[in-house]
Amino acid sequence: MNTTGFVKFAGALIALAICSACGALPLSLSKGQGDMAVAPSNAALNGTYVGRTLSVNGRLVTAAHADLSALPGYATMVPNRRAKSKYFEYIINDYTTFAGIFDYPKSDKQIGTINNVGGQGCTNVLYGYGKKTFWIVAGPAQITDYQVPQKALKTLSVTVGNPSSCAMDTSGDLAVGILDGSGSGDVVIFSHASGSGTVYTTPLLEEYFDGYDNQGNLFADGFNDSGFELVELPKGSTKFQTITTSNTVEFPGSVQWDGTYLTVTDQETNSMYQYTVSGTKATLKGTVSFSGSSDCAQTWIATGVVFCADAGTEGAEVFNYPAGGSPIAIFSGSFDLPLGTVAAKK
């Protein structure tokens, strides 16, 4: 089985593994493991990142080609050393690696680890800090819910392909985008984040990122035969429609509501575009530029700041939002191709 990834990273050829929380020995920042919760995983993927300009058989290929293996594995949690902290940020690295835990603004240093996971994350608010729980797209057929700061609660199965993204609306519905596989480009919505999910077909060949607005409309971006495309599933509808943007987006990035605008991050230009959406047209209202970043694979808008999982610098930055500009903080810790980020509080 082949799949393509969702990061740009300057068109370089680097190793990448599309995998679940599986197949690798745990990575830890602390000397002792302590008591660990585990979340089962069912398969592993291995692949190679090839950049954004490669075309294979007429299709734009942007990142990883991967093959499934049947290696079992587990997501393991290293006890957090600052459990008294209230606010936590997660920098989620390459598949089959780990997510680093941070407690900015208390510190910019990594304070803990969730092992054998990787990919994108989401939580139960449209922006800001999630309430008590968050999700990580942890494998080729699963997504796992965690209690802040790091306790695995439950795992949902995604049976139509390799998940790439996730988003939650204000009622608790969970949308999971499909990057590759039999349902490539589709979105699976789990009502109240439970059950087997309902599959919705999109016009996308590959779904990269998704996000809800404050009206319950679901937006997603990715690629079609012509390049970037933004699509919408209006609340109450069963059919996605194409949304035309008034400006050009070079490479799909995070889709998120910021309290006023629908935002789309452009991995190529290191910018975030703010839109108003009317009908099938998104009109650009503002641009937030990130100086000093290389490739924000996923961004998360919190309270007055935005976090960047930077696949290009192998790190993570914090920027003022909506001012942008230079980073106000750079996280320090262990990184392995950061792909996702999300923030939540106790």
Side-chain angles (χ1 to χ4, degrees), residues 62-216:
T62 55
H65 301 281
D67 296 316
L68 281 168
S69 73
L71 297 176
Y74 301 90
T76 58
M77 277 61 68
V78 178
N80 194 286
R81 297 197 298 271
R82 292 186 185 176
K84 294 182 180 180
S85 298
K86 180 178 180 180
Y87 296 92
F88 297 90
E89 301 84 29
Y90 301 86
I91 302 300
I92 307 163
N93 294 281
D94 191 7
Y95 294 90
T96 194
T97 59
F98 58 96
I101 306 172
F102 297 82
D103 63 353
Y104 182 84
K106 183 177 181 180
S107 170
D108 58 13
K109 296 179 174 58
Q110 186 171 341
I111 61 171
T113 303
I114 302 175
N115 284 308
N116 292 341
V117 297
Q120 293 183 42
C122 61
T123 186
N124 51 16
V125 297
L126 301 179
Y127 64 98
Y129 280 82
K131 301 174 182 178
K132 299 183 180 180
T133 66
F134 62 97
W135 294 80
I136 295 179
V137 178
Q142 71 176 35
I143 181 168
T144 300
D145 187 25
Y146 294 88
Q147 178 179 301
V148 176
Q150 59 193 121
K151 179 182 178 181
L153 297 177
K154 67 176 180 179
T155 292
L156 297 177
S157 296
V158 183
T159 59
V160 295
N162 303 130
S164 60
S165 62
C166 66
M168 294 194 79
D169 67 7
T170 55
S171 68
D173 290 347
L174 176 69
V176 179
I178 304 301
L179 179 68
D180 188 54
S182 59
S184 179
D186 291 346
V187 173
V188 183
I189 298 180
F190 296 87
S191 179
H192 301 294
S194 62
S196 57
T198 301
V199 179
Y200 293 84
T201 300
T202 82
L204 302 171
L205 294 176
E206 302 163 344
E207 196 274 1
Y208 279 26
F209 300 88
D210 60 5
Y212 284 96
D213 70 7
N214 62 335
Q215 301 299 314

Side-chain angles (χ1 to χ4, degrees), residues 225-303:
D225 286 325
S226 302
F228 172 86
E229 186 171 9
L230 178 67
V231 298
E232 177 192 5
L233 180 67
K235 183 177 176 61
S237 176
T238 59
K239 184 177 181 180
F240 273 89
Q241 60 187 14
T242 297
I243 302 297
T244 302
T245 60
S246 62
N247 66 312
T248 299
V249 181
E250 298 291 340
F251 197 96
S254 290
V255 179
Q256 188 182 3
W257 179 253
D258 73 352
T260 303
Y261 300 109
L262 179 74
T263 67
V264 176
T265 298
D266 189 333
Q267 293 190 57
E268 180 67 32
T269 63
N270 298 314
S271 299
M272 180 181 287
Y273 304 125
Q274 301 169 318
Y275 296 105
T276 57
V277 180
S278 178
T280 58
K281 184 174 182 179
T283 302
L284 182 66
K285 293 297 183 178
T287 299
V288 181
S289 298
F290 304 129
S291 301
S293 66
S294 175
D295 181 9
C296 295
Q298 185 183 15
T299 52
W300 183 262
I301 301 167
T303 306

